[in-house]
Each structure stands twice: as C-alpha cells, then as structure tokens.
Amino acid sequence: GNSVTQMEGPVTLSEEAFLTINCTYTATGYPSLFWYVQYPGEGLQLLLKATKADDKGSNKGFEATYRKETTSFHLEKGSVQVSDSAVYFCALDSGGSNYKLTFGKGTLLTVNP
Amino acid sequence: EADIYQTPRYLVIGTGKKITLECSQTMGHDKMYWYQQDPGMELHLIHYSYGVNSTEKGDLSSESTVSRIRTEHFPLTLESARPSHTSQYLCASSDSYWENTEAFFGQGTRLTVV
C-alpha cells in the first residue's frame, strides 16, 4: 500500500535559518505529492504540490521537487520566519477513482526570533 | 479561502451523551473525509464518502458513524461519547472530477469528553 515517511520533529530553528524537512514515499503508479501546513488551532491548508516527476512546487518561499528516482519530496525554505512556525505534513494521492490522501505523521517546526 | 465549515469549534460534553459534529462545504465536492488527529499530530482517516449515499470506514476503526444525504453535508455522530473519544476532528473535501486535486480542510472540532 501507499505510505509516506517524513522527518520526525520537533524542529527548532532561529529566524533566517535554512529549513529542510525530508519526505519519502512508497506508492504504486504515479502519485501526486503535496505539502500541507497546519497553523496552531487551525485545519490543514495546502502549501504546495507537484503532480509529476521533476516538477517543482513552490509557495511563500517554500519549495519541493518531485524526485521519482529517490521517491522523495523534501520541503525547503532558504530563510524561515517566526510566522512559519507550524506543523508540516507531506502527503500523496495515488489517483484513480478510489483515491484518498495518505499523510505522513507531521513535523512540528518552531522558529525563534 | 476554503469554503468548508465545521461546527462547533470546541465542545466539552459528559460521558454517555450523543453528539453530532457538523461539516458543510459549498464547493460542490463529491469527496468528503473525516480525520481524527491525535495529540502527536498524526492524522487518522476514520470515514470517507465519494458522494451522496456513499460512506466508507477509513483506516482507523472508530465508534462514530457518518451520513451523506446531501452533497454539501457530512455530519459525524457519536451515539455515546466516552473520554477515549477526546480528540481533534478534521473534515475535508476534494473534487472527484479532476484527479490529484488538493483536499480542503475545515478548521476542526476539538472534542473533550469528561
């Protein structure tokens, strides 16, 4: 079956530091890959996505590249801000008529001023 | 901004009570989902629906039940709440017409059973 493995947290960084959150996946076929973000007290919202190999998703300074050869979709940001403090979820959607999202366990990021 | 709404946002209720968590979306999405989020943040799919009159159990066994009588509405019911049901419940929806589209989430209901 499908699965997503992401870096365990918590991750604590200082403002303006470089961020990487690793994500690898197992899936049949050609899944789409997503990063969702959950701010404190809120639901999840889509941060970025990539639908095919070598696609790069980007939003709000965050980037992730769909690497089929390494089955990875690592999230990166060059300079984090305090407002980026949140929980980040990697997810995949394997498509087909009966698809549903498969999520990683989430990584808590705290950015200190 | 996502047009999916959950009520109530917070609920504290006594053991044995019957409760219904509401979820509505105005996007016309066929697919809807309920997730339970544990304190460690992990999401567990407990129910999903592919359209009206379609409901399926998810990956995590749950004592709750759901119904889908209208496209826009996907309520979750607990017939007899217990402290073990204390959790955050998140509702989501997605468009089945296009594959690989994002899911939209409500803000969640934080349930505490005392």
Side-chain angles (χ1 to χ4, degrees):
Chain A
N2 298 334
S3 67
V4 175
T5 302
Q6 67 180 96
M7 188 170 110
E8 288 192 22
V11 174
T12 303
L13 297 173
S14 297
E15 205 164 23
E16 299 183 3
F18 183 84
L19 169 71
T20 299
I21 301 177
N22 290 339
C23 172
T24 57
Y25 68 90
T26 301
T28 55
Y30 303 94
S32 288
L33 302 173
F34 305 84
W35 277 101
Y36 283 82
V37 59
Q38 184 179 29
Y39 297 105
E42 301 293 324
L44 278 70
Q45 56 186 271
L46 181 70
L47 180 59
L48 53 85
K49 70 177 182 181
T51 58
K52 60 183 187 298
D54 299 325
D55 268 2
K56 177 187 282 188
S58 61
N59 186 25
K60 299 181 181 180
F62 291 88
E63 292 182 341
T65 301
Y66 188 161
R67 301 287 189 199
K68 191 167 176 62
E69 63 276 12
T70 54
T71 62
S72 65
F73 193 54
H74 305 321
L75 182 69
E76 296 182 336
K77 187 175 186 182
S79 176
V80 293
Q81 305 300 312
V82 172
S83 58
D84 293 327
S85 298
V87 181
Y88 292 82
F89 292 89
C90 185
L92 73 83
D93 155 21
S94 57
S97 59
N98 292 326
Y99 82 94
K100 53 186 187 291
L101 282 175
T102 301
F103 285 93
K105 293 185 177 183
T107 302
L108 173 64
L109 170 66
T110 302
V111 181
N112 294 319
Chain B
E1 188 172 325
D3 296 316
I4 179 165
Y5 308 99
Q6 290 185 243
T7 57
R9 288 290 309 275
Y10 303 92
L11 179 62
V12 180
I13 200 161
T15 297
K17 298 292 187 184
K18 178 180 179 179
I19 59 169
T20 296
L21 308 185
E22 301 288 348
C23 177
S24 295
Q25 50 95 6
T26 59
M27 297 172 282
H29 287 169
D30 286 341
K31 297 190 177 182
M32 296 189 75
Y33 315 84
W34 276 103
Y35 289 88
Q36 186 174 338
Q37 186 171 30
D38 62 28
M41 304 169 300
E42 189 170 358
L43 295 165
H44 302 282
L45 181 66
I46 52 175
H47 298 284
Y48 59 100
S49 167
Y50 291 136
V52 171
N53 295 325
S54 150
T55 60
E56 302 286 344
K57 290 195 176 295
D59 305 320
L60 179 69
S61 176
S62 172
E63 294 168 347
S64 58
T65 59
V66 292
S67 63
R68 190 88 183 276
I69 298 172
R70 303 197 314 267
T71 297
E72 62 270 22
H73 194 215
F74 191 43
L76 180 145
T77 298
L78 277 165
E79 290 292 333
S80 179
R82 295 209 301 268
S84 61
H85 296 139
T86 294
S87 190
Q88 165 97 321
Y89 293 85
L90 293 170
C91 180
S93 72
S94 64
D95 189 345
S96 66
Y97 186 78
W98 302 103
E99 291 186 356
N100 311 126
T101 59
E102 67 181 280
F104 293 87
F105 282 80
Q107 290 188 299
T109 295
R110 183 162 296 282
L111 172 66
T112 303
V113 183
V114 297

